[in-house]
Amino acid sequence: LLCGEELISFIVSEVKKSRPGYDRNAIINIIICISQGLLTVFSGKPGTGKTSICKIIAHALGLDNSLNTTNGIGKRFINVHVERGWNSKRDLIGYYNPLSRKIEKNKIDIYNSLRIL
């Protein structure tokens, strides 16, 4: 079990295998952002590596592995594709429909993850 500086060095070396252009401080800053909040948003132009760096770090941390999906505990990383037309939380999660008295889910993976949390 790695902790402290060993863990940071491991993650940095794993990221650098796939993305040697990232310096140590940039990788550490990403790790701090991820560890300090429930939701981390990467923004930038298409093709700059936002999705790939997330997947690389999630893999290095073991968050993309399915541990046990039978009891609802599985992947701890969800890659969410954000769309231009989104303008409220309804676009991300869904909403309660008072007519049908049901929750209309938009992104099932996100909804299920938030429900588990």
Side-chain angles (χ1 to χ4, degrees):
L1 184 65
L2 299 175
C3 61
E5 185 58 38
E6 290 177 330
L7 178 60
I8 291 170
S9 295
F10 172 76
I11 295 169
V12 168
S13 67
E14 287 297 305
V15 171
K16 284 188 167 280
K17 287 178 187 175
S18 301
R19 296 290 183 268
Y22 279 81
D23 68 357
R24 181 179 172 83
N25 286 337
I27 297 166
I28 292 171
N29 282 333
I30 293 170
I31 295 166
I32 290 170
C33 290
I34 291 169
S35 65
Q36 294 295 314
L38 176 65
L39 182 66
T40 302
V41 178
F42 290 83
S43 67
K45 295 181 179 181
T48 57
K50 299 176 298 290
T51 301
S52 64
I53 193 66
C54 292
K55 288 181 178 180
I56 292 166
I57 291 175
H59 183 74
L61 293 171
L63 301 177
D64 61 345
N65 297 330
S66 230
L67 300 175
N68 184 354
T69 56
T70 58
N71 64 359
I73 300 171
K75 293 190 329 179
R76 295 178 57 205
F77 166 77
I78 299 173
N79 184 31
V80 179
H81 297 281
V82 179
E83 300 172 23
R84 281 184 189 220
W86 286 9
N87 55 19
S88 76
K89 63 185 174 190
R90 292 174 65 166
D91 297 317
L92 178 64
I93 302 168
Y95 63 96
Y96 176 76
N97 185 336
L99 297 175
S100 66
R101 296 185 178 172
K102 294 181 182 176
I103 295 176
E104 305 288 338
K105 304 169 192 104
N106 192 18
K107 304 283 185 185
I108 193 73
D109 286 344
I110 297 170
Y111 177 84
N112 288 339
S113 295
L114 291 172
R115 186 178 49 78
I116 291 169
L117 286 174

